[in-house]
Amino acid sequence: MQHNKVLILDFGSQYTQLIARRVRELNIYCEIHPFNKIPSDSDSFKAVVLSGSPNSVRGEDVLHPDLSNIRGKKPMLAVCYGAQYLAHFSGGEVAESNTREYGRANLGFVKQGEAFFENISEGSQVWMSHSDTIKKLPSGGTLLASTADVENAAYKIEGEDTYAIQFHPEVYHTIDGKQLLENFLVKIAKLNQDWTPNAFVGETVDALKAQLGNDKVVLGLSGGVDSSVAAMLLHKAIGENLYCIFVNNGLLRKNEFTDVLKQYEGMGLNVKGVDASARFLEALAGKSDPEEKRKTIGAMFIEVFDDEAHLIKDVKWLAQGTIYPDVIESVSATGGPSATIKSHHNVGGLPDFMKLKVVEPLKALFKDEVRRVGASMNMDKELLGRHPFPGPGLAIRILGDLTPEKVRILQEVDAVFINNLRSWNLYDKVWQAGAMLLPVNSVGVMGDERTYEKCVALRAVESTDGMTADWVNLPYEFLQKTSNEIINKVKGVNRVVYDISSKPPATIEWE
Ligand code: XMP
């Protein structure tokens, strides 16, 4: 089945991915492409959205793609910079605004009865973020709405399905943003809303069957959401021909290896657990530099994985849990497309000699969509809701060099913290949480004894993608109870602190 596709042309706005997410929340499939790389099959896209940009249409780093093959030929929604670009190039005028316009504004309709504004009330709050403004509409332009500070807040081009808005419909502060996108995509562009998680599962499984036939596929499970959902899709498609490998690097959470392995077996996956903790810890001995630790772990993972993959006869494919944010080509803030595709954290360096073809069933999905796809396959809620956990595991939460004893201490501390988050119903309110073992000892008293033991830091953050994050205001009572429990239960720790730094400037992990 062919779904309607929407093309989002990215001019480098920080919100471009949000546009894609909103479109997909409407069960309409879309793809982001850089403004200067309009796909050659642009005919297959049924509507186009032009994103915002940190640039000015009048600036030196101009972002001026040729839209003549698209504009007027298919429905187009131009947002912020996109709206300015459309005006600038069609006889309108864009000038620097006297006041920089950021934040809330309220829509006043100039033209009533527009399908574009159906179910949106006069005065509806929108979110502005721009320093240029449209002084004169392009030829054929009709003004649709204004705000107190921005006269040309929304316009359309007569005789075309071309609409432009100065505000951002994709951000939550634009209260009716989703309705506006729906009006444009469903009422005006007449797209079907049939891109659902269930449809995705059915079609992906069929496509995988056709692509893989009787071939064998190997996949490294990490215990995380992405690799687990990828495995389930492949399992549905090829059953026992999917060979999953779950490596214990000795740096997982307490009991994680056995618990998760059991869970995978329960899901019917053909999975092999490989306990390579000793190999990893041996390779890491004496290494304290964070990057050196990462490299050592990455290299060892490849070694172990490769050893295991070679045991599977005639394997042809390597499956990866790569998701959409890993593959979107980003446009840099200066306008030059950076054309760098982010490499997947954990598997970027797999060696050539494996000579396997790569299959990535999730590479069109955002994280929340991966979770929804997992849910539609009835996967365990706890597994789907798991916090992100870094590939190098506890190694980058133990500052400095690693010893089995330090790993044990941190596993115990982490287990108390995470279990308490669960029992206080806080786990799902936090994006990621974990504990850090600091390379300092501090003085304490226990009973009548002076102690000189380890200090641990707890970190819990909220975030959407890990790029920026803020610390979570956990209840004092929770922190108090957790700190007591850690100090009482975990031998070797006599002090607990809570990390109240945001990212940036502090990263989520301490190393
Ligand atoms: P930072 O510490 O950079 O972390 O703020 C952002 C997100 O990335 C995870 N992270 C890693 N994941 N390998 C991974 O697979 C790594 O080397 C790595 N370093 C950080 C981190 O847990 C957070 O979710």
Side-chain angles (χ1 to χ4, degrees):
M1 178 178 176
Q2 271 292 331
H3 293 280
N4 299 148
K5 287 199 291 184
V6 175
L7 170 64
I8 298 170
L9 280 186
D10 179 25
F11 290 89
S13 164
Q14 57 178 325
Y15 300 130
T16 305
Q17 286 202 24
L18 267 187
I19 301 179
R21 296 169 79 131
R22 296 289 162 269
V23 172
R24 289 171 176 212
E25 279 167 18
L26 294 166
N27 294 329
I28 295 172
Y29 182 71
C30 62
E31 288 175 11
I32 300 173
H33 291 267
F35 72 93
N36 56 354
K37 288 196 187 160
I38 298 175
S40 50
D41 66 337
S42 65
D43 277 352
S44 67
F45 292 91
K46 298 289 175 251
V48 180
V49 179
L50 308 184
S51 85
S53 174
N55 289 44
S56 164
V57 293
R58 304 167 300 110
E60 290 193 348
D61 294 316
V62 287
L63 284 52
H64 294 167
D66 176 8
L67 300 177
S68 53
N69 280 333
I70 305 178
R71 205 202 111 186
K73 302 199 167 120
K74 51 186 84 197
M76 177 181 279
L77 175 65
V79 173
C80 194
Y81 175 93
Q84 296 172 1
Y85 177 59
L86 201 62
H88 182 73
F89 268 82
S90 317
E93 192 188 329
V94 175
E96 192 172 357
S97 171
N98 296 334
T99 48
R100 285 157 75 84
E101 286 151 350
Y102 292 102
R104 289 179 179 78
N106 299 88
L107 272 188
F109 298 141
V110 176
K111 198 157 179 289
Q112 303 294 332
E114 285 290 315
F116 191 54
F117 287 129
E118 219 170 285
N119 298 322
I120 299 176
S121 325
E122 178 89 28
S124 181
Q125 179 182 296
V126 296
W127 193 258
M128 294 284 186
S129 176
H130 60 111
S131 44
D132 277 358
T133 199
I134 300 166
K135 287 275 183 240
K136 189 177 143 226
L137 294 183
S139 51
T142 300
L143 185 62
L144 300 181
S146 304
T147 67
D149 291 325
V150 181
E151 189 191 352
N152 295 318
Y155 65 88
K156 71 173 179 185
I157 307 245
E158 292 298 341
E160 299 178 8
D161 283 332
T162 303
Y163 290 78
I165 46 182
Q166 183 59 74
F167 54 90
H168 289 270
E170 66 276 20
V171 303
Y172 281 112
H173 290 90
T174 294
I175 305 294
D176 293 312
K178 197 166 164 190
Q179 178 69 55
L180 189 93
L181 288 171
E182 184 174 345
N183 290 348
F184 170 71
L185 294 168
V186 180
K187 301 215 165 71
I188 291 163
K190 310 225 168 353
L191 304 186
N192 299 326
Q193 294 174 280
D194 54 8
W195 194 69
T196 59
N198 271 333
F200 176 85
V201 172
E203 288 158 30
T204 306
V205 168
D206 287 347
L208 288 170
K209 276 183 185 159
Q211 182 183 17
L212 302 171
N214 268 331
D215 290 354
K216 290 183 186 169
V217 178
V218 61
L219 175 143
L221 282 169
S222 70
V225 182
D226 303 341
S227 65
S228 306
V229 174
M232 256 335 254
L233 280 167
L234 283 152
H235 174 70
K236 275 180 179 291
I238 60 169
E240 292 292 299
N241 270 343
L242 173 69
Y243 291 76
C244 300
I245 296 169
F246 181 35
V247 176
N248 183 6
N249 58 12
L251 302 158
L252 301 175
R253 297 191 135 119
K254 187 180 175 186
N255 297 334
E256 186 171 7
F257 182 60
T258 41
D259 290 354
V260 175
L261 193 57
K262 251 190 232 139
Q263 196 170 18
Y264 283 143
E265 286 162 356
M267 285 155 58
L269 293 177
N270 173 12
V271 55
K272 178 168 179 193
V274 179
D275 189 356
S277 344
R279 273 171 87 177
F280 277 87
L281 290 181
E282 214 169 280
L284 283 163
K287 296 188 173 149
S288 56
D289 175 72
E291 286 313 301
E292 201 186 349
K293 288 199 278 185
R294 274 194 174 80
K295 279 196 193 118
T296 306
I297 294 165
M300 183 55 76
F301 178 80
I302 288 165
E303 229 180 274
V304 172
F305 189 83
D306 199 44
D307 286 353
E308 289 302 321
H310 276 112
L311 299 179
I312 309 163
K313 251 186 116 214
D314 299 329
V315 62
K316 293 234 168 53
W317 297 82
L318 171 73
Q320 296 190 2
T322 315
I323 64 172
Y324 196 42
D326 299 326
V327 297
I328 298 176
E329 283 189 57
S330 55
V331 175
S332 75
T334 55
S338 63
T340 44
I341 298 178
K342 283 187 254 168
S343 61
H344 199 255
H345 260 330
N346 301 324
V347 288
L350 279 178
D352 284 341
F353 56 79
M354 284 182 71
K355 298 272 189 282
L356 298 178
K357 292 183 273 185
V358 173
V359 53
E360 297 173 313
L362 304 178
K363 72 166 186 253
L365 302 189
F366 288 109
K367 191 89 177 181
D368 46 334
E369 294 170 333
V370 174
R371 293 202 164 98
R372 271 186 277 149
V373 163
S376 84
M377 294 189 288
N378 295 321
M379 288 174 67
D380 180 58
K381 272 207 186 85
E382 208 169 279
L383 177 65
L384 296 177
R386 289 184 104 194
H387 291 170
F389 187 66
L394 299 181
I396 55 171
R397 294 183 180 171
I398 296 172
L399 278 66
D401 68 323
L402 295 160
T403 61
E405 174 63 2
K406 287 183 187 172
V407 175
R408 181 201 64 81
I409 290 178
L410 192 57
Q411 281 178 335
E412 298 294 336
V413 171
D414 178 82
V416 172
F417 185 31
I418 299 295
N419 287 343
N420 284 355
L421 283 172
R422 285 203 190 279
S423 59
W424 281 60
N425 279 331
L426 291 166
Y427 186 87
D428 293 332
K429 300 192 174 94
V430 167
W431 190 78
Q432 184 172 15
M436 319 289 156
L437 184 64
L438 308 190
V440 284
N441 281 32
S442 77
V443 174
V445 282
M446 278 190 190
D448 288 331
E449 299 276 319
R450 175 187 185 279
T451 60
Y452 187 59
E453 293 181 329
K454 289 273 174 266
C455 174
V456 293
L458 307 183
R459 182 124 169 90
V461 295
E462 48 196 33
S463 175
T464 48
D465 50 15
M467 303 295 283
T468 57
D470 207 355
W471 61 280
V472 178
N473 204 335
L474 292 175
Y476 279 166
E477 229 188 303
F478 169 87
L479 290 170
Q480 181 187 43
K481 185 178 171 296
T482 304
S483 159
N484 274 348
E485 198 178 329
I486 290 170
I487 293 174
N488 285 331
K489 278 193 182 160
V490 187
K491 205 168 156 281
V493 175
N494 70 354
R495 193 175 296 271
V496 176
V497 298
Y498 186 55
D499 184 345
I500 53 167
S501 337
S502 65
K503 173 184 179 175
T507 49
I508 296 173
E509 306 296 345
W510 279 40
E511 280 196 340

